[in-house]
Amino acid sequence: MVWAKVVTGATLAAIGGLATRYAVQRERLEGSWLAAVGPKLSGIGEVEHLSILPLVERLVPAGALEGEPGVSYLLRADDTTILFDVGFNSGHRAQSPLVHNAATLGVDIQSVDGIVISHLHSDHVGGIRSQFRRTFSISAEALEPKGLPGYVPAPMRHERADVVLTTGPRVIAPGIAVLPPLPRMLFWIGPVAEQALVVNVRGFGLVLVSGCGHPGIERMLAATEMVLDVPIRAVVGGLHLPVHPLGTPYLPQAILGSPHWPWRPIGEQDVAEAIDAIRTRGPRMIAVSSHDSTPWTFGAFERAFGELYRTLRVGDELTFP
């Protein structure tokens, strides 16, 4: 009986500590994201052609490809190839789903010109071990070419890659830029800083690529417009909208990745606000990641955008324009 009271007291104290940390940090971060945007870019150039090939996603078509609850996209923008995030690699397998899928799709990962990490969460940096070590890994075996530039939104290290910390908007190749990391407070996990990538396609406009969208797509769109005077015409990637997750594999994302108080889950209103924010930009394509949003969310976006909408799956390549 005494032990039960001790455990209950300790649990309540721990939750109270989390609540206090959340309230204080949330107020601080909510007021700081504008300051994080940084200076405006005078221009980033243009590319004639862009393709985005999902190498890691939860959903896969029938066949030899593997799905997992992580993200990795291969971007080919004219002569530049960028790997955006490196997936989850649960269990830290010697050959990760990223490596397996790349080989199946005929992609040489070691030929990429750079890696962009959206944020320091396990499903984007190659697993829990990589997150704990504040690094990123394509697979258990070191496959990253020596000296490969890796653009990261928080202090990280890597034994082979040349880590570049993003502190403001930065052009990383002709027509390609990373945006300043935007902060957000998550109740259970704590603060996170996430950066997006944009590609300026000639005659089309900006393609915004998101890892999880923890800062909220509304803020990410606003930050993009503060940095660049080019219309946003496509949004691709994670929006973290696991609405109605019961009975689906998305319950961990709904609980651990929520920016709200525990009694206020990510809901239909969050999806409606995201759709409205994107719609006002006059998009020509919307493609939502299947790693952190639920089938209910996919349906809501498909009803809102019709033939402009895609749910991302491994191997389903997007091309612009």
Side-chain angles (χ1 to χ4, degrees):
M1 196 69 176
V2 173
W3 278 109
K5 290 181 178 179
V6 171
V7 171
T8 301
T11 301
L12 291 174
I15 294 176
L18 280 174
T20 300
R21 179 196 67 168
Y22 173 74
V24 172
Q25 291 278 62
R26 180 184 181 183
E27 183 177 0
R28 180 180 67 84
L29 294 179
E30 289 293 309
S32 69
W33 77 270
L34 282 171
V37 173
K40 196 177 191 70
L41 289 175
S42 59
I44 64 172
E46 295 178 317
V47 300
E48 295 289 341
H49 178 266
L50 168 67
S51 69
I52 302 177
L53 178 65
L55 295 178
V56 174
E57 273 289 358
R58 186 185 293 269
L59 297 181
V60 295
L65 298 170
E66 296 182 6
E68 67 164 11
V71 158
S72 183
Y73 305 140
L74 187 80
L75 281 73
R76 299 184 179 101
D78 289 349
D79 297 328
T80 303
T81 302
I82 299 291
L83 188 64
F84 183 83
D85 286 342
V86 293
F88 186 32
N89 194 18
S90 177
H92 208 63
R93 294 159 46 188
Q95 186 181 66
S96 64
L98 168 57
V99 172
H100 170 83
N101 291 338
T104 302
L105 295 167
V107 172
D108 180 9
I109 293 182
Q110 292 183 296
S111 67
V112 301
D113 300 301
I115 292 178
V116 173
I117 299 297
S118 64
H119 62 297
L120 186 55
H121 279 175
S122 58
D123 48 343
H124 298 262
V125 299
I128 295 174
R129 186 184 305 177
S130 293
Q131 179 180 347
F132 181 77
R133 296 176 57 215
R134 301 189 70 88
T135 187
F136 56 88
S137 57
I138 289 176
S139 197
E141 180 185 357
L143 297 178
E144 297 83 359
K146 190 173 180 59
L148 179 74
Y151 302 92
V152 301
M156 298 173 67
R157 62 184 182 85
H158 198 281
E159 293 179 355
R160 298 173 62 83
D162 182 9
V163 173
V164 181
L165 178 63
T166 302
T167 57
R170 184 188 188 107
V171 177
I172 63 173
I176 308 173
V178 289
L179 298 179
L182 299 179
R184 195 72 185 267
M185 186 64 185
L186 309 180
F187 183 86
W188 296 106
I189 298 178
V192 60
E194 181 174 343
Q195 67 179 348
L197 180 146
V198 291
V199 183
N200 186 18
V201 182
R202 185 187 302 275
F204 182 84
L206 289 179
V207 178
L208 172 66
V209 184
S210 166
C212 259
H214 284 304
I217 189 59
E218 301 90 336
R219 291 184 185 177
M220 297 171 74
L221 293 167
T224 303
E225 291 169 337
M226 293 170 66
V227 169
L228 287 163
D229 291 323
V230 183
I232 303 164
R233 292 296 183 235
V235 175
V236 176
L239 299 183
H240 203 90
L241 294 169
V243 179
H244 302 309
L246 293 179
T248 76
Y250 297 89
L251 197 57
Q253 284 84 357
I255 295 173
L256 297 178
S258 176
H260 307 312
W261 290 98
W263 57 82
R264 199 290 219 190
I266 298 171
E268 295 182 14
Q269 183 60 33
D270 295 291
V271 173
E273 291 172 358
I275 287 173
D276 287 344
I278 296 171
R279 182 187 280 130
T280 60
R281 271 72 183 191
R284 299 178 185 176
M285 180 181 288
I286 309 299
V288 176
S289 170
S290 59
H291 94 286
D292 64 355
S293 290
T294 52
W296 187 94
T297 302
F298 305 149
F301 270 82
E302 186 171 14
R303 289 189 296 273
F305 294 107
E307 63 182 12
L308 301 179
Y309 174 73
R310 297 273 292 274
T311 298
L312 289 170
R313 304 190 307 168
V314 175
D316 285 351
E317 190 171 31
L318 309 177
T319 58
F320 306 87

